[in-house]
Amino acid sequence: MAVIKSNSEEVKVLARLMRAEAEGEGDLGMLMVGNVGVNRVKSDCLDFKNIRSIPQMVYQRPGGFEATVKGYFYQGARDREIRLAKRIINGERQHPASNALWFFKPAGGCPGTWYDQRNTGRYKAHCFFAPSGEDCPKVY
């Protein structure tokens, strides 16, 4: 059962985001990026108040995703990424992105916190950061 509302075009937008942000990190890395995106739609907290759809989340300014300003994001969604996006929309979670609202790719190690959010772990090149359950209960 879907944890956020979406239609087929919105699934494709999420699939394109997942590929553009983490294709080099394989299916698991793309699933984690999808986790962060779905969490932002669900959260209604911090920087993501009033974000209620995949397009609002993907194109949010400021605070959106760097991939949306690069041409690779605008290529068509492929079946593989669409299947992955559907898994995330249907509630699959992957640690360390399970409750994360942010990720980034540092030059070195992951900091313990990032903008006052705790580090939940690293997967390949990306570090993930989650709010507290008190700040964002809908993410937990």
Side-chain angles (χ1 to χ4, degrees):
M1 178 178 215
V3 296
I4 61 169
K5 293 180 181 179
S6 64
N7 61 38
S8 62
E9 289 307 308
E10 291 173 331
V11 171
K12 290 177 185 175
V13 170
L14 181 60
R16 291 178 12 229
L17 176 71
M18 292 165 59
R19 180 188 66 222
E21 289 284 351
E23 182 177 40
E25 297 191 3
D27 288 359
L28 188 54
M30 288 188 285
L31 287 167
M32 289 181 194
V33 166
N35 267 155
V36 169
V38 167
N39 288 344
R40 288 181 178 189
V41 174
K42 289 177 16 179
S43 70
D44 194 27
C45 65
L46 302 173
D47 296 336
F48 310 106
K49 290 182 178 172
N50 301 315
I51 299 294
R52 295 288 173 271
S53 71
I54 291 170
Q56 286 175 338
M57 173 269 298
V58 169
Y59 300 109
Q60 179 185 10
R61 294 287 182 262
F65 293 91
E66 183 179 319
T68 62
V69 297
K70 299 184 178 173
Y72 190 57
F73 170 77
Y74 293 94
Q75 294 179 8
R78 297 181 293 205
D79 290 341
R80 171 184 171 206
E81 289 90 26
I82 291 170
R83 284 190 303 274
L84 295 173
K86 287 178 180 177
R87 286 171 52 186
I88 293 301
I89 290 168
N90 286 325
E92 184 174 325
R93 292 179 174 216
Q94 298 292 334
H95 180 75
S98 303
N99 308 105
L101 291 176
W102 299 272
F103 65 89
F104 82 103
K105 184 177 170 180
C110 297
T113 59
W114 191 52
Y115 294 103
D116 296 323
Q117 307 307 310
R118 70 180 170 82
N119 178 329
T120 58
R122 181 179 199 133
Y123 181 74
K124 295 189 179 181
H126 287 99
C127 302
F128 293 86
F129 299 85
S132 70
E134 186 176 291
D135 287 339
C136 293
K138 292 180 182 178
V139 178
Y140 289 87

